[in-house]
Amino acid sequence: MSYPAYPEYKDSAVEQVGSVPSHWTLCKIKHMLSFLGSGGTPDTEDDKCWADNGNGYPWVAISDMSERSYVDETFSRITEHGLKSKNLELWPWGTLVFSMYASLGHVAELRCCAAINQALLALKPEKNVCQRYLKYWFEFIKPTLIESARSNTQNNLNAYLVRNISCLRPPYHEQYKVAQFLDHETARIDALIEEQQRLIELLKEKRQAVISHAVTKGLDPDVPMKDSGVEWLGEVPAEWVVSKLGYYFAEPPCYGVLVPDFDPDGVPMLRITDMENEYIDGTGLTTISPGLSRQYSRTIVQVGDVVLSLVGTIGKAIEVSQRLEGVNLSRAIARLQLKPDVLPRYVCWIFQSGAFSHFTDLVCRGTAQRVLNVSSLVSFRFTFPSYNEQVAISAFLDLETARIDALMEEAELVISLLQERRSALISAAVTGKIDVRDWTPPASSTEPEHEGEGAVT
């Protein structure tokens, strides 16, 4: 859809803004605020409390914002004594909260009366400023703010820099129309993005279900079944063998390098962060000294091995090809050497099944960071078909998961295009590249209520 332009423009003298409507003015953010204030953290834990106990006042941290456009509840609260100890203010409904550190440049609206921590700024628009317009301006300027922060040695912003951000100031009624237009259009785009995100989640569930069924039930729906006697398996094909996974290892599994020395000219070392793509090779990996690699020679991988992540993100598995032969492993990854009658690719599929996920949930419960011990891994009971069936199942899953993965990639692309469209609309509207003064929401839409707006005719 195309939108009209303003009849007359002038140069803003700001590179990322370009030409703007001739009657719009350029000012600093501080001239659009009645107040800008920072937050703080109480000196003692006694001055904080959990939100679910109903005591104290909401206390906003960056984690409460979570890329949302508003904050109506917080994980923690602050006591009356905590407020006084740091001389903190309670900010009213409608105040904008700006993050200076993590999620840098994100702005959310307070929909509760709350205090803020030291990583945030409270921005209270003055009477002649539409709060929602200002929020969209911050969204437009966010990439520039992030770039500005990178030039700072601490990679963050501060109150002085925020106060002096340039901002376009249309007449109030035009600010309101811009905000009204963007509220409607971004909500429509956000709904489409959520649809694609739900589709991706459904496809992920479908993917695991296909894998789980194939490696526990096989490909023949008419094959006789038997009770496996294992909680996470249920019934399995009658001719399949149910056994501990350790039975199929040619050598006991072992962890990788305990403390890497990061020799830039040394031997490549695989880490969990490198395992996003199963087709990786040894180039571009972190390296360790040859001496340290020899010390951990038992985890230098060979073709046909399987490597498995055991810490944090458990269950990432890759079959070692010639591209990875000779690479060593970090301590969070195990090397699995298999017997000849086990197909490495099939074992990788086992680790992606719901049965393995259920098993790891049982044995890794109650730990701050999930860790799968080798002793638990070797005791994992699963079912194995003949070698030929392993080959057939693996080939089937290669095709089926590739099809599902392609659908997920399409959905990710749609999300990316929608996000680009959203950013482009915000940019065009807040810089006056499109004239929305005569825009009206469709009759079927309902305008959201916004409190805390200063209205000026």
Side-chain angles (χ1 to χ4, degrees):
M1 180 184 294
S2 60
Y3 300 97
Y6 279 86
E8 189 175 344
Y9 287 84
K10 65 182 179 183
D11 184 14
S12 70
V14 178
E15 182 179 354
Q16 68 266 35
V17 174
S19 298
V20 300
S22 57
H23 62 291
W24 288 21
T25 59
L26 186 70
C27 66
K28 301 295 185 183
I29 286 289
K30 62 186 176 184
H31 296 135
M32 300 183 73
L33 303 175
S34 61
F35 195 82
L36 181 150
S38 58
T41 299
D43 293 323
T44 68
E45 289 297 314
D46 292 338
D47 291 327
K48 293 186 289 183
C49 50
W50 294 111
D52 58 6
N53 68 11
N55 298 322
Y57 304 95
W59 182 56
V60 184
I62 290 175
S63 57
D64 297 308
M65 298 168 71
S66 302
E67 296 302 324
R68 295 189 302 168
S69 61
Y70 63 89
V71 175
D72 58 356
E73 58 183 358
T74 59
F75 292 110
S76 301
R77 298 173 77 90
I78 187 168
T79 66
E80 185 77 38
H81 184 270
L83 285 175
K84 293 178 180 178
S85 72
K86 284 294 185 180
N87 197 27
L88 299 181
E89 292 196 41
L90 284 174
W91 296 95
W93 179 302
T95 303
L96 296 179
V97 183
F98 177 91
S99 61
M100 295 186 291
Y101 305 120
S103 299
L104 188 146
H106 183 61
V107 173
E109 174 194 352
L110 280 185
R111 293 190 182 173
C112 59
C113 185
I116 61 174
N117 75 3
Q118 73 280 3
L120 303 174
L121 289 176
L123 313 175
K124 192 167 178 56
E126 68 171 31
K127 189 177 181 181
N128 294 332
V129 175
C130 175
Q131 164 192 296
R132 288 144 57 214
Y133 170 82
L134 193 59
K135 182 166 69 70
Y136 283 118
W137 179 266
F138 274 108
E139 191 165 341
F140 159 69
I141 207 73
K142 184 175 180 178
T144 303
L145 295 179
I146 293 173
E147 188 61 35
S148 173
R150 288 196 182 116
S151 63
N152 187 317
T153 55
Q154 294 183 341
N155 197 33
N156 56 43
L157 295 171
N158 55 48
Y160 175 81
L161 291 173
V162 175
R163 283 192 186 97
N164 289 283
I165 294 170
S166 296
C167 184
L168 281 175
R169 185 168 184 167
Y172 179 84
H173 68 278
E174 291 183 52
Q175 295 177 37
Y176 181 82
K177 290 298 292 188
V178 167
Q180 185 187 39
F181 167 78
L182 289 175
D183 284 345
H184 178 270
E185 292 298 314
T186 58
R188 188 171 60 86
I189 293 172
D190 290 344
L192 295 173
I193 290 174
E194 286 180 13
E195 286 181 9
Q196 294 300 312
Q197 290 171 334
R198 285 196 297 270
L199 173 61
I200 290 172
E201 290 305 310
L202 290 172
L203 288 170
K204 286 180 179 178
E205 292 175 9
K206 172 68 172 177
R207 189 183 195 277
Q208 188 178 71
V210 169
I211 294 170
S212 298
H213 189 275
V215 298
T216 59
K217 312 299 180 188
L219 304 180
D220 184 357
D222 299 321
V223 68
M225 306 292 283
K226 68 179 179 183
D227 182 10
S228 67
V230 179
E231 175 187 355
W232 47 82
L233 291 180
E235 287 195 333
V236 299
E239 294 187 357
W240 289 22
V241 176
V242 178
S243 176
K244 292 181 179 179
L245 187 60
Y247 174 79
Y248 296 95
F249 294 152
E251 297 289 340
C254 48
Y255 302 104
V257 177
L258 184 63
V259 182
D261 58 7
F262 302 111
D263 182 343
D265 301 316
V267 178
M269 182 187 72
L270 186 73
R271 297 175 295 179
I272 291 179
T273 53
D274 303 314
M275 297 175 68
E276 294 298 329
N277 181 358
E278 63 178 302
Y279 300 107
I280 59 171
D281 56 30
T283 61
L285 300 179
T286 295
T287 52
I288 58 175
S289 65
L292 184 60
S293 182
R294 286 193 297 271
Q295 182 182 339
Y296 287 88
S297 60
R298 66 187 183 278
T299 52
I300 297 175
V301 298
Q302 304 298 323
V303 173
D305 291 344
V306 169
V307 293
L308 176 70
S309 61
L310 300 178
V311 179
T313 303
I314 297 172
K316 288 186 178 180
I318 294 177
E319 177 185 357
V320 175
S321 65
Q322 289 184 342
R323 299 186 302 271
L324 275 180
E325 187 169 25
V327 166
N328 216 314
L329 305 175
S330 76
R331 67 184 300 249
I333 301 175
R335 177 192 181 191
L336 311 181
Q337 299 167 270
L338 304 173
K339 291 181 177 179
D341 58 344
V342 183
L343 185 69
R345 183 65 174 160
Y346 185 79
V347 173
C348 289
W349 288 123
I350 290 174
F351 293 136
Q352 295 184 53
S353 70
F356 185 72
S357 178
H358 178 72
F359 168 76
T360 57
D361 286 344
L362 290 175
V363 299
C364 300
R365 183 179 297 166
T367 56
Q369 183 181 36
R370 283 163 49 91
V371 177
L372 178 61
N373 295 319
V374 164
S375 59
S376 297
L377 177 65
V378 298
S379 68
F380 172 57
R381 292 178 65 80
F382 207 75
T383 180
F384 282 81
S386 67
Y387 187 87
N388 288 339
E389 281 188 272
Q390 294 177 38
V391 172
I393 290 171
S394 296
F396 167 79
L397 289 175
D398 284 339
L399 291 174
E400 287 299 302
T401 57
R403 182 179 62 82
I404 296 172
D405 291 344
L407 293 174
M408 286 194 287
E409 287 178 9
E410 287 180 14
E412 293 283 5
L413 177 59
V414 171
I415 289 174
S416 179
L417 293 173
L418 287 169
Q419 289 171 336
E420 289 178 11
R421 171 65 174 167
R422 190 183 194 280
S423 296
L425 269 179
I426 292 173
S427 175
V430 300
T431 61
K433 301 301 186 294
I434 56 178
D435 185 352
V436 298
R437 288 175 295 181
D438 296 328
W439 179 86
T440 56
S444 60
S445 69
T446 302
E447 276 295 290
E449 293 184 7
H450 294 272
E451 300 187 33
E453 292 276 359
V456 174
T457 58

